[in-house]
């Protein structure tokens, strides 16, 4: 029974596939922005309908909605957008967790292209999603693709606080990769930047 259950789970992870959206569901950015504008309409019924409409499509268009949340000065629109995105966050976490599991499954089987599809599907919706970014780094590490590994870590580091543990761990990894690739000047610059914030600066000084 246990073996049957494990086989069922494995097949489910493979068959469900990466996060994708059908063409029929695709809306232009202009259409989305028109719905967003209705969140501030004088008519309460229109505001309510726009809110419900955005919740239905919020997973696919969360990036646009987050941009509008930052750009708008209309308090009514801002409040309703925040509400929509709060609902989206819970749905995204469930959706992402399934995709992350499939990504690790593909990684374990050395199906790197399929694993990357899972990761990129997440990052297209929510750039710099921590677990997806870490998985992407692991995929490139396992492939031995240091160039893409470095290119994945660099922009992500810029989103982290320099005194955070995540920054230190990834910065140290980046420094090692740069050294391994022969990018010595860049490696030294990177390691010197993190040394001031490191929990264990002796680990950094050994590499310099």
């Amino acid at each position: 029974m246990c073996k049957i259950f494990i086989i069922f789970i494995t097949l489910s992870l493979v068959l469900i596939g990466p996060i994708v959206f059908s063409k029929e569901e695709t809306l232009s950015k202009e259409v989305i922005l028109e719905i967003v504008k209705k969140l501030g309409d004088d008519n309460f019924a229109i505001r309510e309908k726009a809110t419900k409409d955005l919740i239905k499509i919020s997973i696919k268009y969360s990036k646009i909605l987050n941009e509008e949340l930052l750009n708008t000065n209309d308090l009514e629109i801002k409040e309703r957008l925040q509400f929509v995105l709060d609902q989206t966050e819970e749905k995204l976490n469930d959706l992402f967790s399934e995709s992350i599991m499939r990504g690790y499954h593909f990684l374990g089987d050395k199906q790197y292209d399929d694993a990357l599809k899972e990761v990129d599907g997440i990052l297209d919706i929510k750039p710099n999603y921590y677990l997806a970014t870490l998985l992407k780094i692991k995929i490139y590490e396992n492939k031995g693709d240091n160039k893409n590994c470095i290119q994945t870590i660099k922009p992500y580091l810029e989103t982290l606080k320099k005194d955070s543990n995540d920054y230190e761990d990834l910065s140290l990894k980046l420094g090692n990769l740069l050294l391994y690739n022969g990018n010595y000047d860049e490696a030294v610059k990177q390691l010197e930047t993190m040394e001031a914030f490191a929990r264990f600066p002796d680990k950094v000084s050994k590499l310099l």
Side-chain angles (χ1 to χ4, degrees), residues 55 58 82-92:
I55 288 175
S58 59
Q82 186 62 64
F83 174 77
V84 169
L85 289 167
D86 286 344
Q87 312 306 307
T88 306
E89 192 69 23
E90 187 174 343
K91 289 188 287 184
L92 281 176

Side-chain angles (χ1 to χ4, degrees), residues 19 26 41 53 57 66 112 117 137 146 155 165 178 189:
I19 299 174
T26 300
D41 196 275
D53 287 344
I57 61 172
N66 272 298
Y112 301 125
K117 284 180 184 177
I137 292 168
N146 290 336
N165 294 344
L178 290 169
K189 183 179 179 181

